[in-house]
Amino acid sequence: MAPTPHQAKTAKAKLIAGGKQPKARIARYLKKTEPQLVEGAKISLLLKGIRCSDSMATVLKDMRSVQSPHSKMLLKNNVIVPFDDAGQQSLEFLTTKNDATLFALASHNKKRPNNLVMGRTFDRRILDMVEIGILQYRSVNDFPGLPKKRLGSKPLLQFVGDLWVSDVNLKRLQNLLVDFYRGDPVDSLVLSGLDHVMVFTAAETSVGGQEAYPIIHQRTYYMKLKKDPQGGKAPVPYLTPSGPDMDFKIRRTQFASPDLWKMVMKQPAGTKTKKKKNRTTNVFGETIGRLHLEKQDIDKRQGKKSKALRLADKLEKEEEVAAIEDELGREEQETKNEFKQTYGFEA
């Protein structure tokens, strides 16, 4: 079990002040909770509110089965009102103590029946929360005899509808749902490891002439890949409804301020890949590089010559030396003749 926030804060203060080292358990926890360039899977904490019906308890159990092994469920009821300051402090304490980043609180009362509050934390503080009202629900147990997802497998998430782009609340809800169900971060996927799909469809509806509001339809399918009957190389997915399925609407929201959201979305410099200049990849996956060199004088470049070329160069040089000597001899003889003609005797 993780140390309390007071223990962690005291241990950090002692460590900074150069005092006594913290206990081994606290030191391991502090090292584990240090900021990392690549974070692992986020743990979700599933809670029951002041009053929780059996149907809402079933919702939490199905969420645990979908998110396992990255989820933890507390069985006792908690006196927590999530949109109050005291309730948020309780949520921050429980998420810190259970080392969880995501949380879901289920409750049921006359004013807000079948209520589910989903949220997440940042730096051990509440970042954002969305309260949804479940209108219709089908549990995993309502699909008996059908195959289920494997433990730890990642789902394919599909968001259908223009409202996911145009509506601000649905944009944040989409980001929150991706955080809830994405599982372990991976660099590549194996087709054989994909076994279920979660589809979220957003559509507007109005009841009794009231103002239209969006309703989200969540459907979960078991996916089995089979050989393409038309002879294609890529396998063809066959979908079978497997649950859990639900229809819900948004009731209340509490999102982070723009400044806090900007700080949360900031990426560390170590995760950014540096662009490599003058290097490209073609359609075949081959790396092509471009080198920039100074202009080369090929005439002065000394290369390796064969024996025949070396002999030819030697003979050519000997002929040039002989020609130069003959020229010098003729010039010397002409000079002597001119001197004799002028002075009448040889020099």
Side-chain angles (χ1 to χ4, degrees):
M1 183 178 291
T4 62
H6 177 70
Q7 287 177 325
K9 186 176 180 181
T10 306
K12 281 186 177 180
K14 287 182 178 179
L15 195 61
I16 292 173
K20 186 178 178 181
Q21 293 292 331
K23 293 182 179 179
R25 178 174 64 90
I26 300 177
R28 287 195 301 269
Y29 174 76
L30 293 176
K31 186 176 181 180
K32 183 180 178 182
T33 55
E34 286 179 353
Q36 300 176 2
L37 290 177
V38 180
E39 297 287 346
K42 297 182 179 181
I43 306 298
S44 60
L45 183 65
L46 309 178
L47 307 164
K48 294 181 180 179
I50 301 174
R51 294 183 181 87
C52 183
S53 61
D54 293 340
S55 59
M56 293 307 297
T58 304
V59 172
L60 293 180
K61 291 178 182 178
D62 290 345
M63 290 182 68
R64 181 181 60 180
S65 64
V66 171
Q67 294 178 291
S68 62
H70 308 301
S71 61
K72 185 182 294 187
M73 182 176 176
L74 304 184
L75 300 179
K76 293 185 178 180
N77 289 24
N78 300 274
V79 185
I80 295 176
V81 182
F83 286 89
D84 290 348
D85 293 338
Q88 293 185 15
Q89 291 178 2
S90 300
L91 287 172
E92 290 169 358
F93 171 77
L94 290 173
T95 52
T96 302
K97 193 167 185 63
N98 291 277
D99 197 18
T101 309
L102 307 166
F103 65 88
L105 179 70
S107 62
H108 178 79
N109 52 51
K110 185 177 180 180
K111 186 178 181 180
R112 294 186 178 88
N114 301 325
N115 201 55
L116 182 66
V117 178
M118 303 173 66
R120 54 188 166 183
T121 61
F122 173 73
D123 196 18
R124 307 300 181 183
R125 297 290 182 267
I126 297 294
L127 178 63
D128 48 15
M129 293 188 296
V130 178
E131 183 183 58
I132 62 176
I134 299 177
L135 307 176
Q136 185 179 358
Y137 187 77
R138 294 188 67 189
S139 172
V140 176
N141 298 327
D142 295 334
F143 299 88
L146 295 176
K148 309 300 179 185
K149 67 176 287 293
R150 291 189 291 268
L151 182 67
S153 63
K154 291 172 66 68
L156 287 175
L157 301 178
Q158 184 179 10
F159 295 88
V160 182
D162 297 335
L163 293 176
W164 294 111
V165 181
S166 58
D167 194 303
V168 178
N169 291 339
L170 288 183
K171 273 186 179 180
R172 290 289 185 90
L173 178 60
Q174 178 184 4
N175 190 280
L176 180 61
L177 291 173
V178 170
D179 255 3
F180 250 89
Y181 296 112
R182 70 174 184 171
D184 290 300
V186 294
D187 296 329
S188 58
L189 289 174
V190 181
L191 287 179
S192 59
L194 303 176
D195 59 358
H196 67 295
V197 183
M198 300 183 70
V199 183
F200 298 89
T201 306
E204 284 189 346
T205 185
S206 60
V207 180
Q210 298 179 358
E211 184 179 357
Y213 58 90
I215 288 184
I216 295 91
H217 307 276
Q218 174 187 332
R219 299 293 181 266
T220 308
Y221 301 94
Y222 175 79
M223 180 176 64
K224 187 173 183 179
L225 300 176
K226 296 184 179 180
K227 188 177 181 180
D228 189 357
Q230 298 181 356
K233 293 184 178 180
V236 177
Y238 289 84
L239 304 181
T240 305
S242 60
D245 298 344
M246 73 169 76
D247 299 338
F248 59 88
K249 64 178 182 179
I250 298 177
R251 285 177 176 163
R252 290 184 292 177
T253 60
Q254 179 181 318
F255 295 124
S257 61
D259 295 337
L260 179 58
W261 184 253
K262 184 178 180 180
M263 183 178 66
V264 171
M265 296 298 291
K266 185 177 181 181
Q267 297 290 331
T271 58
K272 297 180 181 178
T273 56
K274 294 183 179 180
K275 185 179 180 181
K276 297 180 180 179
K277 296 182 179 180
N278 304 322
R279 185 180 296 183
T280 57
T281 305
N282 59 13
V283 293
F284 303 105
E286 298 173 345
T287 303
I288 302 174
R290 178 180 296 177
L291 300 178
H292 296 274
L293 301 175
E294 297 179 357
K295 187 176 180 181
Q296 299 180 7
D297 190 356
I298 303 178
D299 297 334
K300 296 181 180 179
R301 188 177 180 88
Q302 184 67 29
K304 185 177 180 180
K305 297 181 180 179
S306 62
K307 186 175 181 180
L309 293 176
R310 290 199 297 269
L311 291 174
D313 288 345
K314 186 177 180 180
L315 294 174
E316 186 178 355
K317 288 180 180 180
E318 290 178 354
E319 291 176 356
E320 289 180 359
V321 171
I324 292 172
E325 289 179 354
D326 292 343
E327 184 70 23
L328 292 175
R330 286 196 301 270
E331 290 180 356
E332 186 179 358
Q333 187 64 33
E334 289 177 358
T335 304
K336 288 180 178 181
N337 294 336
E338 289 178 359
F339 185 85
K340 184 177 181 180
Q341 290 177 2
T342 304
Y343 299 103
F345 61 92
E346 294 182 358

